[in-house]
Amino acid sequence: MERRPEPELMDDEAQAWAYAQADFSEAHERFVALFTECFPGEPGSGLCLDLGCGAADVLVRFARVHPECRIDGLDGAPAMLALAQRAVDAARLQDRVRLIHGYLPGAELPCRGYDVVISNSLLHHLAAPSVLWETAKGHARPGAALFVMDLSRPDTPARLDELVARHAAGASPLLQRDFRNSLLAAYRPDEVRAQLEDAGLGSCRVSVVSDRHWIAFGRL
Ligand SMILES: C[S@@+](CC[C@H](N)C(=O)[O-])C[C@H]1O[C@@H](n2cnc3c(N)ncnc32)[C@H](O)[C@@H]1O
């Protein structure tokens, strides 16, 4: 199926709230576990950047599993960042987490030498996917770990319907609509491999990890 872009920022308050209330525990726990499989022992006490952190559900789970690391979470949507701040406060992570409002490309980040760059479900929002790879390259130290997970666009409308029915049947109409739109906006693993080649990150690997997700990981 042809890619159908969706708006980049999730700055509608109802949309942000619905997203923050949704149960993404399976996928988000998987994100954290797969990171550990790909990069055992990291990030240690290093500084990590979460691009498109949204309501910080992945960020908080990651911080709990890596108690020594500090994390900067960046997002362009104030509505999401307000929910992220609540999640960080509730988890008592204020001393290790900074939330930064900024639009990519061009966002001001406080560091140019991050040890780890993570991102979940940002890429499919980006009209120019190179923005993610170039931001990671431009703000990480040489040899830093890069770990990205996102959805994969289905091949056929029937497959799209099947995934929405399987994974969002019990969700609100708003969340079902967002999930469908996100699948339609998503990049396929072959497209991600080509993006990484173009960005000079051809040594990074892309693996399919579920019926709807891929991961991309390697050294910057
Ligand atoms: C689907 S959410 C994912 C949030 C979080 N990473 C998670 O997995 O729960 C994508 C987030 O990326 C943000 N975003 C999209 N395009 C962006 C851009 N160009 N600059 C900064 N943030 C962006 C949106 O505002 C939204 O909060």
Side-chain angles (χ1 to χ4, degrees):
M1 291 172 76
E2 204 170 311
R3 178 171 187 264
R4 197 178 77 191
E6 65 172 347
E8 290 200 337
L9 299 184
M10 293 177 69
D11 206 21
D12 175 83
E13 283 191 13
Q15 184 193 31
W17 177 255
Y19 188 85
Q21 293 308 303
D23 181 6
F24 292 117
S25 52
E26 184 204 331
H28 291 180
E29 285 294 313
R30 191 91 201 281
F31 180 101
V32 176
L34 285 167
F35 175 88
T36 302
E37 276 179 34
C38 295
F39 298 105
E42 294 195 44
S45 59
L47 183 57
C48 174
L49 173 63
D50 182 0
L51 292 170
C53 65
D57 189 58
V58 169
L59 186 155
V60 165
R61 290 173 195 273
F62 191 90
R64 284 192 176 126
V65 171
H66 301 284
E68 301 293 314
C69 79
R70 289 161 297 131
I71 310 180
D72 288 347
L74 172 106
D75 204 282
M80 276 293 194
L81 284 176
L83 297 166
Q85 190 62 59
R86 279 200 214 175
V88 168
D89 292 348
R92 298 180 186 278
L93 289 167
Q94 301 94 324
D95 55 337
R96 291 203 284 133
V97 173
R98 288 185 292 200
L99 296 174
I100 299 159
H101 177 229
Y103 176 77
L104 296 171
E108 292 271 329
L109 283 161
C111 176
R112 289 221 155 247
Y114 286 97
D115 300 295
V116 171
V117 180
I118 60 173
S119 182
N120 184 55
S121 285
L122 167 66
L123 188 73
H124 73 262
H125 283 274
L126 297 176
S130 59
V131 164
L132 172 54
W133 313 117
E134 294 302 331
T135 302
K137 274 177 25 181
H139 291 84
R141 65 165 170 77
L146 173 68
F147 185 86
V148 175
M149 186 163 101
D150 210 319
L151 296 166
S152 183
R153 191 169 74 255
D155 291 334
T156 64
R159 179 74 177 146
L160 173 68
D161 289 343
E162 191 187 318
L163 287 173
V164 174
R166 187 181 306 157
H167 296 291
S172 67
L174 182 60
L175 267 178
Q176 286 198 17
R177 181 205 68 188
D178 279 357
F179 183 49
R180 178 177 289 274
N181 289 342
S182 295
L183 285 166
L184 281 167
Y187 295 97
R188 294 190 314 259
D190 59 308
E191 294 168 334
V192 177
R193 278 189 200 99
Q195 292 167 19
L196 288 163
E197 285 287 344
D198 289 348
L201 294 171
S203 63
C204 290
R205 288 175 52 191
V206 181
S207 300
V208 173
V209 293
S210 82
D211 59 358
R212 62 203 185 286
H213 292 109
W214 51 259
I215 55 171
F217 61 99
R219 297 282 173 189
L220 287 162

